[in-house]
Amino acid sequence: MRARDDYLRSHPFCEHTGCARIADAVDHIRPLAEGGDKYDPENFQSLCDPHHTEKTTQDALRGKKRAR
Ligand SMILES: [Zn+2]
């Protein structure tokens, strides 16, 4: 949680290409479910709420497909 707060403070804007809204969340670029590192700042990206929702949905869909 701490690392995420620090990351958000140093990356206050959404890192989605073409988006520059204020970020609301720190996302794991490679989801933890896919072996992403929870504490590695290299695996963090700041996202605004809509883009975080979109990313999370895509990750979940991918996870479901893989499980099948
Ligand atoms: Zn965004």
Side-chain angles (χ1 to χ4, degrees), residues 36-53:
D37 192 327
K38 193 175 182 178
Y39 301 106
D40 183 2
E42 299 261 303
N43 195 36
F44 291 171
Q45 63 180 343
S46 292
L47 291 178
C48 65
D49 211 29
H51 281 131
H52 187 233
T53 304

Side-chain angles (χ1 to χ4, degrees), residues 14 16 19 21 47-48 51:
C14 178
H16 193 276
C19 180
R21 274 185 288 242
L47 291 178
C48 65
H51 281 131

Side-chain angles (χ1 to χ4, degrees), residues 7-44:
Y7 188 87
L8 198 54
R9 217 167 293 133
S10 47
H11 301 79
F13 299 105
C14 178
E15 293 186 67
H16 193 276
T17 313
C19 180
R21 274 185 288 242
I22 300 278
D24 295 300
V26 176
D27 178 65
H28 292 103
I29 297 169
R30 184 198 252 275
L32 306 186
E34 292 177 22
D37 192 327
K38 193 175 182 178
Y39 301 106
D40 183 2
E42 299 261 303
N43 195 36
F44 291 171

